[in-house]
């Protein structure tokens, strides 16, 4: 068993890099995404007994490294880009967010007697993750103090459900297209001038080529740390407002109202740190512990995403939105920008690559607020 801290840290870093490389190198794995690959590899090491159940290395990754990931990823969100997504995509994404909220309330009502005092936290966490993807799962789950074992079980269930929904959003456009208006011609056009021979990851947010100097890296680390410290201090002074809310708000302000606007490298550093977090979540995902929580957590995730889907495609048809926009927007909410990218590329909707990434990043910004609001509402209702 590998227990020495430096060796264990090197192993976590190596698995992080391997997950990103597998996502980049193999097209079928790119549909799954680096986050799920990291979880599977981490869980494999853990369940084979090759790494310990607890370590200061894990504490560092799930603590300061994760908060830095949140800060960096939110610094990369440029709110002025929202208009570039277009009214059609923004309408579809609004439906996706509404569907997630309704699904979370339905799940909370159905499973109130199962998760008892953790029901509101679970509903809020799933609202966050199905509004903007994994970043919001982490930020909302931590803010609501989701129980550690339930956190690991919900992570596994979330990733399985996200994978199933990815398959659904790839297949539903084939089955339902005669019931929906045709996508506009721009959807099948090249995105940002990408030609037919462009690398499939040419627009992938994790693999964009970004020139970084030592100075820029130092600034991003310093600013990220300052945001985390400031958010913690504000959270201590305002017990009713979790520090992650302050971190989200401060990072969005700094990223949109200071010279750090469009900071090159922030998205890449944040994605790297978040992938390391998922390696550790995989290590925490011991089969015996997850089974002890029960299959109900998986049914909870299915309820949220199932109702989300009914609202997206049902109300989307009533609003005469096209299937391409609805499918990409749904994946932007459920899986984040990378999942939206996978759907757009797989279905050759090149004109939706950039809009899908933009609304996925927008989901990062709004998911934390929606998740905490749903959790508070569920607690108020006594579910």
């Amino acid at each position: 068993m590998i227990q020495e801290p430096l060796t264990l840290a090197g192993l976590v870093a190596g698995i992080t890099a391997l997950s990103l490389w597998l996502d980049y190198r193999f097209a079928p794995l790119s549909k799954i995404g680096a986050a799920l690959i990291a979880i599977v590899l981490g869980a494999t090491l853990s369940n084979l007994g090759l790494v310990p159940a607890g370590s200061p290395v894990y504490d560092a990754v799930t603590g300061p490294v994760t908060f830095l990931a949140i800060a960096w990823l939110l610094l990369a969100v440029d709110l002025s880009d929202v208009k570039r997504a277009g009214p059609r995509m923004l309408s579809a994404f609004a439906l996706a967010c509404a569907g997630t909220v309704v699904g979370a309330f339905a799940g909370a009502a159905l499973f109130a007697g199962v998760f008892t005092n953790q029901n509101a936290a679970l509903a809020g966490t799933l609202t966050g993750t199905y509004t903007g993807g994994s970043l919001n799962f982490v930020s909302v789950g931590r803010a609501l103090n989701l129980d550690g074992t339930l956190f690991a079980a919900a992570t596994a269930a979330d990733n399985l459900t996200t994978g199933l929904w990815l398959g659904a959003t790839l297949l539903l456009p084939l089955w339902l297209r005669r019931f929906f208006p045709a996508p506009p011609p721009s959807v099948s056009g090249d995105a940002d001038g990408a030609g037919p021979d462009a690398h499939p990851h040419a627009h992938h947010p994790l693999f964009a080529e970004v020139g970084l100097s030592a100075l820029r890296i130092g600034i991003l680390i310093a600013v990220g740390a300052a945001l985390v410290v400031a958010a913690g201090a504000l959270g201590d002074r305002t017990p009713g407002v979790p520090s992650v809310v302050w971190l989200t708000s401060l990072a969005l302000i700094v990223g949109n109202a200071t010279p750090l606007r469009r900071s090159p490298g922030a998205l890449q550093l944040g994605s790297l740190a978040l992938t390391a977090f998922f390696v550790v979540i995989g290590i925490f995902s011991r089969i015996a512990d997850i089974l002890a929580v029960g299959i109900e957590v998986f049914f909870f995730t299915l309820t949220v995403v199932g109702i989300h889907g009914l609202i997206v495609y049902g109300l989307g048809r009533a609003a005469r939105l096209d299937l391409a926009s609805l499918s990409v927007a749904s994946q932007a909410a459920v899986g984040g920008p990378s999942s939206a990218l996978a759907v757009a590329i797989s279905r050759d909707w090149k004109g939706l690559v950039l809009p899908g990434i933009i609304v996925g990043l927008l989901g990062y910004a709004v998911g934390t607020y929606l998740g905490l609001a749903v959790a508070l509402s569920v607690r108020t209702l006594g579910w």
Side-chain angles (χ1 to χ4, degrees):
M1 179 180 290
I2 300 171
Q3 293 182 304
E4 198 274 321
L6 185 58
T7 305
L8 190 58
L11 179 63
V12 170
I15 296 298
T16 300
L18 177 61
S19 302
L20 292 168
W21 180 79
L22 290 171
D23 183 353
Y24 180 81
R25 180 66 179 80
F26 299 101
L29 292 180
S30 70
K31 305 297 189 297
I32 298 172
L36 183 54
I37 296 171
I39 289 171
V40 170
L41 293 176
T44 301
L45 291 175
S46 180
N47 286 282
L48 290 176
L50 299 177
V51 293
S55 167
V57 174
Y58 307 156
D59 296 337
V61 173
T62 58
V65 171
T66 301
F67 279 115
L68 282 171
I70 294 170
W72 286 327
L73 286 169
L74 290 172
L75 281 174
V77 176
D78 190 336
L79 295 177
S80 68
D81 278 343
V82 170
K83 61 188 177 191
R84 300 176 65 192
R88 189 178 64 253
M89 180 60 75
L90 290 174
S91 298
F93 185 70
L95 270 182
C97 294
T100 293
V101 170
V102 173
F105 277 117
L110 286 173
F111 295 97
V114 176
F115 298 107
T116 59
N117 63 329
Q118 288 287 298
N119 193 47
L122 184 57
T125 300
L126 294 181
T127 299
T129 192
Y130 296 139
T131 301
S134 302
L135 170 67
N136 299 113
F137 187 102
V138 176
S139 59
V140 178
R142 291 177 63 88
L144 296 173
N145 296 315
L146 191 65
D147 175 78
T149 302
L150 182 57
F151 193 108
T155 300
D158 167 38
N159 279 282
L160 177 56
T161 300
T162 299
L164 292 172
W165 189 243
L166 176 60
T169 50
L170 289 171
L171 293 175
L172 286 174
L174 301 178
W175 299 339
L176 301 177
R177 57 189 172 190
R178 64 192 180 95
F179 300 109
F180 288 77
S186 60
V187 166
S188 298
D190 286 348
D192 287 359
D197 297 326
H199 192 282
H201 287 307
H203 296 279
H204 199 302
L206 290 182
F207 305 121
E209 295 289 340
V210 179
L212 283 180
S213 65
L215 174 60
R216 172 60 62 175
I217 294 172
I219 290 172
L220 286 173
I221 292 174
V223 171
L227 288 170
V228 171
V229 171
L234 289 169
D236 291 340
R237 296 186 180 187
T238 54
V241 182
S243 60
V244 72
V245 173
W246 289 112
L247 181 59
T248 300
S249 303
L250 290 173
L252 288 172
I253 292 170
V254 170
N256 285 271
T258 73
L260 286 170
R261 187 185 182 92
R262 296 183 181 276
S263 295
L267 185 62
Q268 287 70 34
L269 279 176
S271 299
L272 181 66
L274 195 63
T275 304
F277 170 82
F278 283 113
V279 174
V280 174
I281 285 297
I283 291 172
F284 288 160
S285 300
R286 294 177 178 261
I287 293 174
D289 292 339
I290 293 174
L291 292 177
V293 174
I295 194 68
E296 289 87 354
V297 68
F298 177 54
F299 291 143
F300 200 130
T301 62
L302 285 180
T303 299
V304 178
V305 174
I307 292 176
H308 160 99
L310 289 174
I311 288 177
V312 166
Y313 288 106
L315 294 184
R317 182 179 184 275
R320 298 196 56 77
L321 293 171
D322 62 277
L323 271 173
S325 298
L326 291 171
S327 298
V328 173
S330 176
Q331 266 308 316
V334 171
S338 293
S339 292
L341 181 77
V343 171
I345 289 175
S346 296
R347 283 280 157 258
D348 202 29
W349 295 326
K350 298 183 182 69
L352 295 181
V353 168
L354 181 60
I357 292 174
I358 289 171
V359 295
L361 293 173
L362 177 61
Y364 283 172
V366 302
T368 296
Y369 300 115
L370 280 179
L372 294 174
V374 166
L376 178 61
S377 300
V378 169
R379 285 198 183 114
T380 302
L381 291 169
W383 294 349

